[in-house]
Amino acid sequence: AHYDALLRLGLTPAETEALRQDNLKTTRARFETAQYVVTSRNGRIEATLRPPQFAPVVLQTNGARTLPHGCQIDCHETTRDEIDSLKTPPTEAIVDADCLNGPLIYRALQEGDRFRPFGMKGSRLVSDFLTDRHLTATERAWVGVVCDTEGIVWLAGHRIDHRVAVTAKTRRIVKLTLT
C-alpha cells in the first residue's frame, strides 16, 4: 500500500503507521482528518470525504436559497392546473401543499432517518433506501432532506415521501428544484 499518500490526506505519521500495522493484522482501524475519514479493514484502506456539517436551512416559499454545499434549492407554490406533468427529473419534486405542516427545512441526513418512499410499501430507513440505490458511502453522505414538522418531505434528488404525494384531490402544489 502507498502509506505516504495517507500523509497527504492529513494523517500523522503515527496514524499512518497504525493503519499499516492494523492492515497486517486484518483488523479494523479508523482515523479522521479535517476533510477525510480513513478506514482500514481486511487489508483495504479507504479514504472518503467527510460529509458536510451545516445548520438546517429554512426554505422560502416562492424563493430560492443557496445551500451550504453550494447547491441552490428553489421552492415555488402553484396550482395543479399549472403543472403539465407530474413526472419530474430526480432534481425536482412536486408535492401536495396542503399536506405540508410548518416551514420546509433543508438539512443533512441524521442517523435513523425514516421515510415512506412514494411508490413503495411501508417505511424505510433512508440509509437502507440509498444503499439499495447503490450509492457509495461518500455519495450518501452528501444527500440532504427537505422536512416539515411531521418528517421527511423529499429525499433531495431521489424520492418524495408518500404522505405528500399529489393525488386527484390536490389543488395546491409546491415544486422543489435542486440545482
Side-chain angles (χ1 to χ4, degrees), residues 108-167:
L109 291 178
Q110 296 173 354
E111 190 172 330
D113 271 344
R114 292 187 80 85
F115 81 129
R116 186 171 171 207
F118 179 68
M120 297 177 76
K121 292 182 180 182
S123 70
R124 303 279 317 270
L125 282 170
V126 170
S127 59
D128 291 346
F129 178 83
L130 294 174
T131 298
D132 291 347
R133 293 182 61 91
H134 306 291
L135 269 69
T136 66
T138 302
E139 291 168 328
R140 288 192 306 266
W142 288 81
V143 173
V145 293
V146 175
C147 301
D148 65 4
T149 57
E150 285 190 37
I152 294 175
V153 170
W154 180 38
L155 183 57
H158 296 277
R159 189 80 58 97
I160 65 168
D161 188 271
H162 180 79
R163 144 182 93 79
V164 296
V166 174
T167 67

Side-chain angles (χ1 to χ4, degrees), residues 52-94:
Q53 300 295 315
F54 60 90
V57 177
V58 177
L59 303 180
Q60 301 168 341
T61 304
N62 296 322
R65 293 292 304 260
T66 300
L67 303 175
H69 48 68
C71 292
Q72 187 171 356
I73 193 162
D74 181 60
C75 182
H76 179 74
E77 187 173 327
T78 186
T79 64
R80 171 94 187 248
D81 299 333
E82 293 179 31
I83 299 293
D84 294 331
S85 171
L86 295 178
K87 291 191 177 210
T88 61
T91 56
E92 293 181 4
I94 296 174

